[in-house]
């Protein structure tokens, strides 16, 4: 709401400096009317993390392939709080923010694949509300027997919606 911008990307500078897996994400903040500050790395961030800022200024980092969300208090640049929504395999994690400490998160508890040849592994869709900066209990939102291949959540003040593409068990 104050015009701050948070950019996040996976970067290491050169293959010589990091030829293998490079965990974490690089961040840069921009205050209104100013240039982006010096980038810095958050090594504990989930791979491919996407940033979000709610209307109170609290920042979030989440990844479509991780059940963990990192949080920084409003006005802070330190992602000191980590919440595990679901341990183990997860994919299509989608976090929508709607107000101060409010939003909706959804996910599919199957393995996250990055290759086009494998395609997504179908599963059920689960969701949890974000209220007062904390996530509530998760519940399955897709109908029983439906195999979901992709999902997305959108938050609005007081609620939200989760959409998905799926098919019944009898589909070959």
């Amino acid at each position: 709401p104050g015009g701050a911008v948070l950019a996040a990307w996976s970067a290491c500078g050169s293959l010589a400096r990091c030829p293998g897996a490079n965990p974490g994400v690089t961040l840069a903040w921009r205050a209104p009317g100013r240039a982006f500050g010096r980038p810095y790395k958050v090594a504990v961030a989930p791979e491919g993390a996407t940033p979000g800022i709610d209307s109170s200024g609290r920042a979030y980092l989440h990844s479509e392939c991780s059940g963990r969300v990192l949080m920084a208090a409003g006005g802070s640049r330190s992602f000191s709080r980590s919440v595990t929504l679901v341990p183990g395999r997860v994919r299509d994690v989608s976090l929508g923010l709607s107000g101060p400490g409010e939003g909706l998160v959804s996910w599919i508890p199957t393995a996250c694949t990055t290759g086009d040849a494998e395609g997504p592994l179908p599963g059920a869709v689960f969701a949890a509300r974000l209220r007062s900066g904390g996530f509530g209990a998760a519940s399955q939102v897709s109908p029983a027997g439906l195999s979901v291949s992709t999902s997305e959540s959108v938050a609005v003040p007081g609620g939200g919606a989760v959409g998905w593409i799926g098919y019944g068990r009898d589909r070959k």
Side-chain angles (χ1 to χ4, degrees), residues 133-156:
F135 291 97
S139 60
Q140 183 174 333
V141 294
S142 61
L146 185 71
S147 292
V148 175
S149 59
T150 186
S151 70
E152 184 84 26
S153 64
V154 177
V156 296

Side-chain angles (χ1 to χ4, degrees), residues 7-77:
W9 64 94
S10 296
C12 65
S14 75
L15 287 177
R17 287 180 40 196
C18 52
N22 188 27
V25 65
T26 301
L27 302 177
W29 290 85
R30 184 187 67 77
R34 307 198 115 184
F36 275 96
R38 183 179 183 94
Y40 64 97
K41 186 166 183 170
V42 178
V44 296
E47 183 180 350
T50 301
I53 302 176
D54 70 20
S55 61
S56 71
R58 181 180 289 134
Y60 303 82
L61 288 173
H62 79 284
S63 169
E64 68 177 31
C65 290
S66 174
R68 251 181 350 107
V69 177
L70 298 181
M71 294 182 232
S76 172
R77 304 291 196 245

Side-chain angles (χ1 to χ4, degrees), residues 70-165:
L70 298 181
M71 294 182 232
S76 172
R77 304 291 196 245
S78 174
F79 286 86
S80 56
R81 185 169 170 217
S82 178
V83 174
T84 300
L85 300 169
V86 59
R89 303 178 321 167
V90 64
R91 69 176 179 83
D92 272 15
V93 176
S94 176
L95 174 62
L97 302 170
S98 59
E102 293 185 8
L104 179 66
V105 64
S106 63
W107 66 88
I108 301 171
T110 61
C112 193
T113 59
T114 56
D116 291 335
E118 298 104 13
L121 299 172
V125 179
F126 288 78
R129 282 191 72 182
L130 172 64
R131 282 192 208 174
S132 302
F135 291 97
S139 60
Q140 183 174 333
V141 294
S142 61
L146 185 71
S147 292
V148 175
S149 59
T150 186
S151 70
E152 184 84 26
S153 64
V154 177
V156 296
V162 178
W164 58 80
I165 297 173

